[in-house]
Amino acid sequence: MSDRLSPDVVAKVARLARLDLTPDELDRATGQLSDMLDHFADIDALDLSDVEPLNSPYPLVNVLRDDVEQPTLDRDEVMASAPKSEDGRFWVPPVLGGDS
């Protein structure tokens, strides 16, 4: 296990991510994250000075259709079917905190 990562650090990161880990999950996550850091250290130790940077191993081809303007749904009809709207936009509750 990596010396750089302690269960306290993993617990803090879990709290920041709003994850409620059991002690068993915390131990498993600590081991898994330590293994990942050790693997990254192995990769950092490789001499890659002769390796050209690569975005993708395959040539990319745009398979999307042309962007052509087409008729859309009526805005008033769409907004009428929304559970709640405000100023012509969908209203959604806050994701983090607040009860609005």
Side-chain angles (χ1 to χ4, degrees):
M1 187 179 329
S2 174
D3 295 333
R4 297 176 285 192
L5 195 60
S6 69
D8 292 335
V9 172
V10 175
K12 181 179 179 181
V13 171
R15 246 187 336 276
L16 292 172
R18 296 177 182 247
L19 298 174
D20 188 19
L21 299 180
T22 66
D24 290 338
E25 291 171 328
L26 183 62
D27 288 340
R28 188 173 44 170
T30 302
Q32 290 174 339
L33 291 173
S34 292
D35 290 346
M36 289 171 55
L37 289 175
D38 291 341
H39 183 67
F40 296 151
D42 292 343
I43 293 172
D44 285 341
L46 295 174
D47 178 19
L48 301 175
S49 59
D50 294 336
V51 177
E52 188 175 326
L54 181 67
N55 289 331
S56 174
Y58 304 106
L60 298 177
V61 177
N62 186 358
V63 295
L64 301 176
R65 64 174 170 73
D66 290 335
D67 190 14
V68 178
E69 187 175 325
Q70 297 180 359
T72 61
L73 299 172
D74 180 63
R75 181 183 191 96
D76 293 331
E77 184 179 342
V78 171
M79 296 311 296
S81 67
K84 187 173 180 182
S85 63
E86 186 175 293
D87 297 328
R89 297 183 301 260
F90 293 109
W91 184 93
V92 293
V95 177
L96 301 175
D99 295 327
S100 301

